[in-house]
Amino acid sequence: PCPLKHPCSLQDLTTDPRACHRVIEALENDLCTPRELYQWIRPCVRPVAMSKEGTRFLQEFLHVAASSDVETMETFVEDLIPYTIDLYRSPDGNHVLTRMIEKSSFSSIQPIIQLIIEEC
């Protein structure tokens, strides 16, 4: 279930800027943890990452998780590795991929780098 005080649907995160803004505010104000939030969005993280609204939310999620919950961030990165090339080619998803690379440890992003090298 949505961990927010005013729940939204996972679909809202791909289309509704207000829902994404509420989620970002909840993260920034410690109203939910990155782990709680990721447990909720994990089943549909790929479509969220590939959407215009979702990419903004996920960039902020990565920023917060990088400083407060590295384990959740690494799980997020591992979950999206199979979609590296899709993210790389997406006008929205590439921002999530960039933030993943910026915020992750070198060892975590090795598979991403390898996939991109193979694609080029």
Side-chain angles (χ1 to χ4, degrees):
C2 177
L4 302 180
K5 182 178 178 182
H6 301 288
C8 61
S9 72
L10 290 171
Q11 179 66 29
D12 290 342
L13 294 180
T14 64
T15 60
D16 184 355
R18 292 173 306 213
C20 291
H21 184 69
R22 286 194 310 269
V23 174
I24 290 169
E25 282 184 338
L27 270 174
E28 290 174 342
N29 294 310
D30 295 324
L31 301 176
C32 67
T33 66
R35 183 175 310 241
E36 292 169 326
L37 195 56
Y38 191 57
Q39 287 174 344
W40 175 55
I41 65 164
R42 192 174 189 184
C44 68
V45 69
R46 183 189 176 278
V48 173
M50 302 288 281
S51 70
K52 180 179 178 181
E53 299 307 327
T55 191
R56 293 178 180 144
F57 148 66
L58 287 176
Q59 288 178 74
E60 184 61 25
F61 166 82
L62 285 166
H63 176 73
V64 172
S67 61
S68 65
D69 189 345
V70 174
E71 182 180 329
T72 297
M73 190 184 77
E74 288 179 356
T75 300
F76 173 88
V77 171
E78 289 172 13
D79 288 348
L80 283 178
I81 285 172
Y83 309 110
T84 296
I85 300 307
D86 293 339
L87 292 167
Y88 173 74
R89 292 180 176 158
S90 167
D92 298 312
N94 75 75
H95 298 290
V96 174
L97 183 63
T98 299
R99 185 61 59 102
M100 287 166 52
I101 292 168
E102 290 173 352
K103 297 293 182 178
S104 299
S105 68
F106 185 72
S107 61
S108 295
I109 63 168
Q110 282 291 39
I112 294 171
I113 294 169
Q114 187 61 40
L115 287 166
I116 292 171
I117 289 171
E118 290 171 7
E119 181 66 15
C120 296

